[in-house]
Amino acid sequence: MLLEKTTPSLRAALAAILLLLLAGFGLGQWWLDRTRVAFADALRVERTVIAARLSRQIEMLRGELATAGEQALAELGEAPALPALAEGVRRRLSNALRVEAFTPELREVLDGDLAAFGFARANLLLEARQDRATVQLLERDGRKALGLAARVPSAGEPSALILAELPLESLTRILREGYRGGYLSLRAGDQAQIVIAEVGEEHLAERILSEASPVPGTSLRLFLVPPPSPAWLKGTSGLWLGIPALLGAVLVPLALLGKLRLPGQSTAEAEVTLEQAIARETPEEAPVRVARTVGEQAPGGDEALGAGPPAPARERRGEALQRSIFRAYDIRGVVGQTLTESIARSIGQAIGTVVRERGLREVVVGRDGRLSSPRLSSALISGLRRAGCDVIDIGAVPSPVVYFATHHLQTGCGVAVTGSHNPPEYNGFKIMVGGDTLAEEGIQELYRRIVEHDLAEATEPGGLQAIDLRSDYIERITSDIQTERSLKVVVDAGNGIAGDLATQLIAGIGCDPIPLNCEVDGTFPHHHPDPSDPENLIDLITTVKQLGADLGIAFDGDGDRLGVVTGRGDIVHPDRLLMLFARDLLIRNPGAVVIYDVKCTGRLASEILRYGGSPVMWRTGHSLIKAKMKELDAELAGEMSGHFFFKERWFGFDDALYAAARLLEILASETASLDELLAELPAGVSTPELRVPLPEGEQYAFVERFQREARFEGARISQIDGLRADWDDGWGLVRASNTTPMLVLRFEGDDAEALARIQGEFRRALLAVRPDLALPF
């Protein structure tokens, strides 16, 4: 037998050959890896080159449109009929799909139905009017086109604005010519959600956010995802592994196979069966690795705030939807625990269902600067579109800009993705439908729909477009408010979303803003973004004093709460600010209704009456206040938390940036300082908001019991929101917070003695209900 004649030398030679083959495999695999890296690098360089070519092509198209417009204008005269001008441009642009001409004022667009006209088309014209170049993907009757707009003439005052729809072919051709593999896509939108043109392997599209080059001179980006391996390399890894594996399968048994009898060796020593050889060579058992399905978490691994986006198809079975996140006037939960992307998607679909049932379709979506907001916003938008809503994504903006957009774009519907003033791990949604902010039963209706799966499912998903409205927001306010003198203002945004826009606005109305903590950082590294807590105003007070500023202004995380400190560094309670606002407004609007919440000073009502207004106390909560304003046609409202609502000259929603502008307008018209103006107002001795933490949800049960059991001799009792007791010399309040698991308390007296007596009355009543409360007074 041949096997019986195998010698140790032959076995050694066979082993050496096997080692050489394995070494060759390792070198081959290294070469393949290096080749793949070089190929991917080459594709990225090519992406930059293609982006430059696209930029030149778009610039050429813009130039052709402007030239055609000026030639047509020269042919027709200085004041041509708009249809004739459009036709003249179309003749000169042989490939144009559609050309329209508009007046420079755009009254025919802005005074009409913007939704029917198309927000993307309107945005093109508005940008062109400001001599800002942009492009949009336009869609009409299922046909997609590249939208461009131009001023005619391009220099000086325009006689008209031209809007042209051009074929996408010129851009797609550039992509095809530069395509070397993988996936190429030209996109728009802050989340790259609008596809202008694409070529290649579309299944790679889910990875686009990791590879992008800006197209110079535009807001477009070119995305490229290299293929897993170049076409000519596919399968070579298997070849390199297969050759040594095949030879090894032959050679190893030859080296180990039994009956290998050598000269001078006994049968007992030499006879090694195949079974014994295999047993000797069996390695120690390797640890088992468990493969998890997409979206399944590793043991002990929680979904972390700010972690990378999960797989798009993620829908975890058994994921609990907790009713506790559906609160009195918004939705608020802890990211990764009570609020996940799949829950956000369901909430979006529920909101979309309500929108569609009311005969509406378009929904504005904006988000704050929290780390989790982009992911939750994307999931929410997916749910809205699933219900058949067309979504207008306005990006990362303060919540008031979302409310402004619902008016400016005439949608009436909007969702702000925000955790407001809550800690970084929280996030949530503030919702408007049909011009009303959802609250209480409206919020609970969303929960019911999700639980019962009473949700709309559109046959085709709704549309999606991105619009930047920040300049429109600033222009709208600055066109109405200009201060009579410049004030030096320190602006502390607490690293929330309001910082950049607030400083632009304050400068725009004629004041000198000094930014403090205005960089957006969702971890809130310097202090918590809640100006109602005096601890969070320490940096602002210090800076105002050091720089000799006229005042300091603070915003919460999403820009709907305002905090103010005077030039001396004193904190101004929001109810005293409301006195200033009411006094100013009532001069122009005698008899107007002014609403304030249950946490405000008892002196506010008499001050409103003194200036000829009608005071109304109401429940705390931005959506509840807005609903009451509509009911009573009120001109002004405010909350002790720092929410201010102006209907006069504004839209009636809570907007801390606008309120700051109105305050600066008042101060700049006076020769007195803010400290001096406040000294003229009636004052007592009061506390700020005091907070008593309780386990999640227990604050409501406590207040219900407190309302039943507490007794206050000689006091007028109000239970519209918690329990407020008013005496002739002061008052006290206990209510449940609807945004955090806490009791909220506040007290005021004519003097320190009255304040101490009232606090003592409430301390006795609170501890009678729950003796273990840790009271802060």
Side-chain angles (χ1 to χ4, degrees), residues 317-369:
R317 292 183 179 179
E319 188 169 69
L321 178 68
Q322 295 190 19
R323 190 166 201 151
S324 62
I325 70 173
F326 294 81
R327 308 197 179 202
Y329 34 87
D330 55 25
I331 298 173
R332 201 81 56 88
V334 178
V335 177
Q337 297 179 25
T338 57
L339 183 58
T340 65
E341 288 165 76
S342 59
I343 289 175
R345 191 175 298 110
S346 296
I347 290 170
Q349 192 173 359
I351 296 169
T353 302
V354 174
V355 169
R356 299 297 288 130
E357 286 184 356
R358 295 196 187 182
L360 304 169
R361 187 176 185 89
E362 291 186 311
V363 181
V364 173
V365 174
R367 64 179 187 274
D368 67 11

Side-chain angles (χ1 to χ4, degrees), residues 423-475:
E425 65 270 19
Y426 280 80
N427 217 321
F429 309 100
K430 297 177 179 179
I431 307 155
M432 285 184 67
V433 177
D436 297 322
T437 302
L438 291 193
E440 298 184 316
E441 293 83 2
I443 296 290
Q444 295 305 314
E445 173 68 6
L446 299 178
Y447 172 78
R448 182 198 65 77
R449 285 182 179 276
I450 297 171
V451 170
E452 298 178 6
H453 203 68
D454 181 14
L455 304 171
E457 289 275 359
T459 54
E460 292 290 336
L464 177 63
Q465 62 176 310
I467 295 180
D468 187 346
L469 288 179
R470 289 171 295 182
S471 60
D472 300 80
Y473 174 81
I474 289 177
E475 182 182 356

Side-chain angles (χ1 to χ4, degrees), residues 439-584:
E440 298 184 316
E441 293 83 2
I443 296 290
Q444 295 305 314
E445 173 68 6
L446 299 178
Y447 172 78
R448 182 198 65 77
R449 285 182 179 276
I450 297 171
V451 170
E452 298 178 6
H453 203 68
D454 181 14
L455 304 171
E457 289 275 359
T459 54
E460 292 290 336
L464 177 63
Q465 62 176 310
I467 295 180
D468 187 346
L469 288 179
R470 289 171 295 182
S471 60
D472 300 80
Y473 174 81
I474 289 177
E475 182 182 356
R476 173 63 177 78
I477 298 174
T478 56
S479 65
D480 178 58
I481 299 176
Q482 288 293 312
T483 56
E484 295 182 14
R485 61 187 175 95
S486 179
L487 298 170
K488 184 186 290 187
V489 186
V490 180
V491 180
D492 186 351
N495 298 110
I497 194 63
D500 180 60
L501 204 61
T503 52
Q504 289 184 53
L505 175 61
I506 290 169
I509 66 172
C511 290
D512 178 18
I514 302 169
L516 176 67
N517 304 326
C518 283
E519 306 82 10
V520 178
D521 186 337
T523 64
F524 310 127
H526 297 102
H527 62 75
H528 193 54
D530 180 4
S532 66
D533 186 345
E535 289 283 327
N536 300 324
L537 298 176
I538 293 174
D539 290 352
L540 181 61
I541 292 169
T542 302
T543 306
V544 166
K545 287 181 174 180
Q546 288 178 344
L547 299 182
D550 292 289
L551 71 158
I553 286 174
F555 299 100
D556 72 340
D558 68 328
D560 61 6
R561 293 185 179 215
L562 177 67
V564 176
V565 301
T566 70
R568 289 203 305 244
D570 295 332
I571 296 173
V572 185
H573 291 320
D575 51 3
R576 293 177 65 72
L577 286 177
L578 188 56
M579 288 184 187
L580 289 180
F581 289 139
R583 187 173 70 174
D584 173 70

